[in-house]
Amino acid sequence: QVQLVESGGGLVQAGGSLRLSCVASGSIFRINAMRWYRQAPGKQRELVATVTSIGVTNYADSVKGRFTISRDNAKNTVYLQMNSLKPEDTAVYYCNSEVARTPDTAFSYWGQGTQVTVSS
């Protein structure tokens, strides 16, 4: 089994910062891409940022220049540094990782989500 556990969410004023963390644990051979998604009330889940196993990153246009995704492979952890937060960033943030438990196959795993609320 593989578990992803997020932390770091909370309530912050507009213009503030938060840092989310997501730790993967369990039977892990290798972790490929790691991603952060978010889902606001009444909206579809959207991809926020991706970091590959070699550190290549990609961002949604709405967060470029404000959010930074990074990972620590030794700790099986992915981070999302969120600066200059806006009320429209309010959502539940989910960690997603492609985890290989054997050399041949990988599956997608999700965390339980962490709430980020940005007040105006």
Side-chain angles (χ1 to χ4, degrees), residues 32-95:
N32 298 332
M34 304 183 83
R35 301 179 178 91
W36 286 98
Y37 286 78
R38 66 185 181 187
Q39 187 167 19
K43 295 188 176 181
Q44 289 188 330
R45 190 171 297 190
E46 64 172 345
L47 177 61
V48 175
T50 301
V51 58
T52 70
S53 59
I54 58 172
V56 176
T57 59
N58 195 32
Y59 298 92
D61 287 343
S62 59
V63 306
K64 279 181 181 177
R66 300 188 298 121
F67 290 10
T68 302
I69 189 171
S70 61
R71 63 191 286 171
D72 184 333
N73 291 330
K75 296 181 179 180
N76 290 337
T77 300
V78 62
Y79 305 96
L80 186 67
Q81 178 66 43
M82 304 184 295
N83 299 329
S84 303
L85 283 161
K86 305 175 181 180
E88 51 264 44
D89 294 318
T90 295
V92 178
Y93 283 71
Y94 296 91
C95 172

Side-chain angles (χ1 to χ4, degrees), residues 90-110:
T90 295
V92 178
Y93 283 71
Y94 296 91
C95 172
N96 171 267
S97 294
E98 296 172 7
V99 179
R101 298 176 62 189
T102 68
D104 302 324
T105 59
F107 295 95
S108 178
Y109 293 88
W110 292 86

Side-chain angles (χ1 to χ4, degrees), residues 5-25:
V5 178
E6 301 107 332
S7 61
L11 173 64
V12 64
Q13 288 189 332
S17 298
L18 284 174
R19 189 194 194 204
L20 306 183
S21 300
C22 173
V23 180
S25 62

